[in-house]
Amino acid sequence: MIQLIPVAELRTGMYVHKLEVFWLKHERVHNDMLLTSQEQIQVITDSGLKEVWIDLDKGLTPVCVEAATRPALSIASAPVSLCQEVAQAQAICLNAKGQVMDMFSDARLGKTIDTISTLPLVDEIGGSISRHPAALLSVVRLKTHDDYTYLHSVAVCALMISLARQLNLDEKLVRRAGTAGLLHDVGKAGIALEILNKPGKLTDDEFRVMKQHPALGEALLRKSGGDEDLLDVALHHHEKIDGSGYPHGLRGQAISLLSRMAAVCDVYDAVTSDRPYKNGWNPAYAMHQMASWEGHFDRQVFYAFVKAVGIYPPGSVVRLASGRIAVVAEPGEDSLLTPKVCVFWSLAGNQRTRPEIVDLADRFCWDSISGPEETNCWGGLDINALWMQPIAC
């Protein structure tokens, strides 16, 4: 049972479940730890934290009656607005990028990877997804092609957590899914940088080299003492349901659930990201295209992914039936087809309009989205340059 208590009530013997910060750096203080000394408590106190999540099933309970009788809370029980969470998500992504860069750098130097050390970061990402599912996924979409290798791992971690919860996996498996997503591409650390960072399309020979990264990742994680499920995702996230994937051509249920999940999350983030040789697809268009690929994904997993992320995820640029253009601000609460959007451009007037939030689910709303197949075609209008400008929440 997880409970939120004031830092002043911490004592040795308690089990810290979640610190809810990313800036606290100390070799003996982290998420998921048993408090064994006053020094650890002092470090937490000095950090400025006011409250901490503890696990009552793994450690001592609070002494005071008020704390002991306080109802246990889920980390996901305190939702915040999208605007509030975006700032936190930006900080998490900045910190995560640095950690993943360090992990890849160590791997290139032949060092092993401490998979346990990634858990606090996975928990940070999971916490953000719990507070507002759209915030971190929206922020991580803004990565540049220079950030791609590192923030792609962060994005897949976040997508795996969202998908795992949509599939109603228990929280232990949700965490494993997030960890697998964060580590799925670690084998790319063994690929020559001139191939990994090539600004153009790979040649056939270069692609053959790139296709070695699953095996390289599995070998690295095995050398590092990683668990079998993490090794499996690193090795098999490019397998396809019809057996046409690589490296082993596995078919159907021969591919583990986590690897089937990773296949969807990996492709979605890849096709929606800007790369040196192509612009990323609009998320709604990506969903439309991926749905048409027969034999590529586990259909049940893909449908759950659509429900988790939405047909029109936040950040999608959509054309409305009125001839206006909008960016999706929040998913619809009752329908995947009726999100909240921020209208910012008029095609009829070919000009920017005053930003206006429109809830397409409102029964008084007379507008609607034209359709996912039309959301990526705007002629010469530079949508990316427009919607990435600051818009008041």
Short mmCIF file of all heavy atoms in Angstrom, two decimals, residues 121-147:
data_model
loop_
_atom_site.label_atom_id
_atom_site.label_comp_id
_atom_site.label_asym_id
_atom_site.label_seq_id
_atom_site.Cartn_x
_atom_site.Cartn_y
_atom_site.Cartn_z
N LEU A 121 14.38 6.84 -13.33
CA LEU A 121 13.97 7.58 -14.52
C LEU A 121 12.66 7.02 -15.07
O LEU A 121 11.75 7.78 -15.45
CB LEU A 121 15.06 7.53 -15.59
CG LEU A 121 14.72 8.18 -16.93
CD1 LEU A 121 14.32 9.64 -16.75
CD2 LEU A 121 15.92 8.08 -17.89
N VAL A 122 12.54 5.70 -15.12
CA VAL A 122 11.30 5.08 -15.58
C VAL A 122 10.14 5.51 -14.69
O VAL A 122 9.04 5.81 -15.17
CB VAL A 122 11.42 3.53 -15.59
CG1 VAL A 122 10.07 2.88 -15.89
CG2 VAL A 122 12.46 3.10 -16.62
N ASP A 123 10.39 5.59 -13.39
CA ASP A 123 9.35 6.02 -12.46
C ASP A 123 8.98 7.48 -12.66
O ASP A 123 7.82 7.87 -12.52
CB ASP A 123 9.79 5.79 -11.01
CG ASP A 123 9.79 4.31 -10.63
OD1 ASP A 123 9.13 3.53 -11.33
OD2 ASP A 123 10.46 3.94 -9.65
N GLU A 124 9.98 8.33 -12.96
CA GLU A 124 9.69 9.74 -13.26
C GLU A 124 8.76 9.85 -14.47
O GLU A 124 7.78 10.60 -14.47
CB GLU A 124 10.99 10.50 -13.55
CG GLU A 124 11.88 10.76 -12.34
CD GLU A 124 11.32 11.86 -11.46
OE1 GLU A 124 10.39 12.57 -11.88
OE2 GLU A 124 11.81 12.01 -10.33
N ILE A 125 9.09 9.10 -15.50
CA ILE A 125 8.28 9.12 -16.72
C ILE A 125 6.88 8.57 -16.44
O ILE A 125 5.87 9.14 -16.85
CB ILE A 125 8.99 8.31 -17.83
CG1 ILE A 125 10.29 9.02 -18.23
CG2 ILE A 125 8.08 8.13 -19.04
CD1 ILE A 125 11.20 8.21 -19.14
N GLY A 126 6.82 7.46 -15.69
CA GLY A 126 5.53 6.89 -15.34
C GLY A 126 4.69 7.83 -14.49
O GLY A 126 3.47 7.90 -14.66
N GLY A 127 5.33 8.57 -13.59
CA GLY A 127 4.61 9.53 -12.77
C GLY A 127 4.00 10.64 -13.60
O GLY A 127 2.86 11.05 -13.37
N SER A 128 4.75 11.12 -14.59
CA SER A 128 4.22 12.16 -15.47
C SER A 128 3.03 11.64 -16.28
O SER A 128 2.02 12.33 -16.42
CB SER A 128 5.31 12.67 -16.42
OG SER A 128 4.82 13.68 -17.27
N ILE A 129 3.16 10.42 -16.79
CA ILE A 129 2.06 9.81 -17.54
C ILE A 129 0.82 9.68 -16.66
O ILE A 129 -0.31 9.87 -17.11
CB ILE A 129 2.48 8.43 -18.09
CG1 ILE A 129 3.62 8.57 -19.11
CG2 ILE A 129 1.29 7.71 -18.72
CD1 ILE A 129 3.26 9.29 -20.36
N SER A 130 1.03 9.36 -15.37
CA SER A 130 -0.09 9.22 -14.44
C SER A 130 -0.79 10.55 -14.21
O SER A 130 -2.02 10.62 -14.16
CB SER A 130 0.39 8.65 -13.10
OG SER A 130 0.88 7.34 -13.23
N ARG A 131 0.00 11.60 -14.04
CA ARG A 131 -0.58 12.91 -13.73
C ARG A 131 -1.33 13.49 -14.92
O ARG A 131 -2.40 14.07 -14.77
CB ARG A 131 0.51 13.87 -13.24
CG ARG A 131 1.10 13.49 -11.88
CD ARG A 131 2.05 14.56 -11.38
NE ARG A 131 3.23 14.72 -12.22
CZ ARG A 131 4.35 14.03 -12.08
NH1 ARG A 131 4.45 13.10 -11.13
NH2 ARG A 131 5.39 14.25 -12.86
N HIS A 132 -0.75 13.37 -16.10
CA HIS A 132 -1.44 13.80 -17.33
C HIS A 132 -0.81 13.06 -18.50
O HIS A 132 0.32 13.38 -18.91
CB HIS A 132 -1.35 15.30 -17.54
CG HIS A 132 -2.42 15.80 -18.47
ND1 HIS A 132 -2.54 15.37 -19.77
CD2 HIS A 132 -3.46 16.66 -18.28
CE1 HIS A 132 -3.57 15.95 -20.35
NE2 HIS A 132 -4.15 16.73 -19.47
N PRO A 133 -1.49 12.06 -19.05
CA PRO A 133 -0.90 11.20 -20.08
C PRO A 133 -0.38 11.95 -21.30
O PRO A 133 0.57 11.50 -21.94
CB PRO A 133 -2.07 10.28 -20.48
CG PRO A 133 -2.99 10.30 -19.30
CD PRO A 133 -2.88 11.68 -18.73
N ALA A 134 -0.97 13.09 -21.62
CA ALA A 134 -0.62 13.76 -22.88
C ALA A 134 0.63 14.63 -22.79
O ALA A 134 1.29 14.88 -23.79
CB ALA A 134 -1.79 14.63 -23.35
N ALA A 135 0.98 15.09 -21.59
CA ALA A 135 2.02 16.12 -21.46
C ALA A 135 3.38 15.66 -21.95
O ALA A 135 3.98 16.25 -22.85
CB ALA A 135 2.09 16.60 -20.02
N LEU A 136 3.90 14.59 -21.37
CA LEU A 136 5.25 14.15 -21.72
C LEU A 136 5.31 13.66 -23.16
O LEU A 136 6.29 13.91 -23.88
CB LEU A 136 5.72 13.07 -20.77
CG LEU A 136 7.22 12.72 -20.89
CD1 LEU A 136 7.84 12.55 -19.51
CD2 LEU A 136 7.44 11.46 -21.70
N LEU A 137 4.25 12.98 -23.62
CA LEU A 137 4.24 12.51 -25.01
C LEU A 137 4.25 13.69 -25.98
O LEU A 137 4.83 13.60 -27.06
CB LEU A 137 3.00 11.64 -25.25
CG LEU A 137 2.97 10.32 -24.47
CD1 LEU A 137 1.67 9.58 -24.75
CD2 LEU A 137 4.17 9.44 -24.84
N SER A 138 3.62 14.78 -25.59
CA SER A 138 3.64 15.98 -26.44
C SER A 138 5.02 16.62 -26.46
O SER A 138 5.52 17.03 -27.50
CB SER A 138 2.60 16.99 -25.94
OG SER A 138 1.30 16.46 -26.00
N VAL A 139 5.64 16.71 -25.28
CA VAL A 139 6.95 17.35 -25.18
C VAL A 139 8.00 16.56 -25.95
O VAL A 139 8.81 17.12 -26.70
CB VAL A 139 7.37 17.50 -23.70
CG1 VAL A 139 8.84 17.90 -23.59
CG2 VAL A 139 6.49 18.53 -23.01
N VAL A 140 7.99 15.25 -25.80
CA VAL A 140 9.03 14.43 -26.42
C VAL A 140 8.91 14.42 -27.93
O VAL A 140 9.88 14.13 -28.65
CB VAL A 140 9.01 13.00 -25.83
CG1 VAL A 140 7.95 12.14 -26.48
CG2 VAL A 140 10.39 12.34 -25.92
N ARG A 141 7.73 14.76 -28.47
CA ARG A 141 7.55 14.84 -29.92
C ARG A 141 8.36 15.99 -30.53
O ARG A 141 8.62 16.00 -31.73
CB ARG A 141 6.08 15.05 -30.27
CG ARG A 141 5.25 13.77 -30.32
CD ARG A 141 3.98 13.98 -31.11
NE ARG A 141 4.26 14.26 -32.48
CZ ARG A 141 3.79 15.30 -33.15
NH1 ARG A 141 3.03 16.20 -32.56
NH2 ARG A 141 4.09 15.47 -34.42
N LEU A 142 8.76 16.96 -29.72
CA LEU A 142 9.46 18.13 -30.24
C LEU A 142 10.95 17.90 -30.42
O LEU A 142 11.68 18.85 -30.69
CB LEU A 142 9.22 19.32 -29.30
CG LEU A 142 7.77 19.76 -29.15
CD1 LEU A 142 7.67 20.93 -28.18
CD2 LEU A 142 7.17 20.14 -30.49
N LYS A 143 11.40 16.67 -30.28
CA LYS A 143 12.83 16.39 -30.43
C LYS A 143 13.30 16.71 -31.84
O LYS A 143 12.56 16.55 -32.81
CB LYS A 143 13.13 14.94 -30.09
CG LYS A 143 12.38 13.91 -30.91
CD LYS A 143 12.68 12.51 -30.40
CE LYS A 143 11.82 11.46 -31.07
NZ LYS A 143 10.41 11.55 -30.70
N THR A 144 14.54 17.15 -31.95
CA THR A 144 15.15 17.40 -33.25
C THR A 144 15.85 16.13 -33.72
O THR A 144 16.00 15.17 -32.95
CB THR A 144 16.18 18.53 -33.17
OG1 THR A 144 17.29 18.10 -32.34
CG2 THR A 144 15.56 19.78 -32.54
N HIS A 145 16.30 16.12 -34.98
CA HIS A 145 16.97 14.91 -35.46
C HIS A 145 18.29 14.68 -34.73
O HIS A 145 18.77 13.55 -34.63
CB HIS A 145 17.18 14.97 -36.98
CG HIS A 145 17.98 16.12 -37.47
ND1 HIS A 145 19.35 16.18 -37.36
CD2 HIS A 145 17.60 17.28 -38.08
CE1 HIS A 145 19.78 17.31 -37.88
NE2 HIS A 145 18.74 18.00 -38.32
N ASP A 146 18.89 15.73 -34.15
CA ASP A 146 20.12 15.56 -33.38
C ASP A 146 19.85 14.83 -32.06
O ASP A 146 20.73 14.17 -31.52
CB ASP A 146 20.76 16.92 -33.09
CG ASP A 146 21.28 17.60 -34.35
OD1 ASP A 146 21.70 16.88 -35.27
OD2 ASP A 146 21.24 18.84 -34.42
N ASP A 147 18.64 15.02 -31.52
CA ASP A 147 18.26 14.38 -30.25
C ASP A 147 17.66 13.00 -30.45
O ASP A 147 17.42 12.28 -29.48
CB ASP A 147 17.20 15.22 -29.52
CG ASP A 147 17.70 16.60 -29.13
OD1 ASP A 147 18.90 16.73 -28.89
OD2 ASP A 147 16.88 17.54 -29.09
#
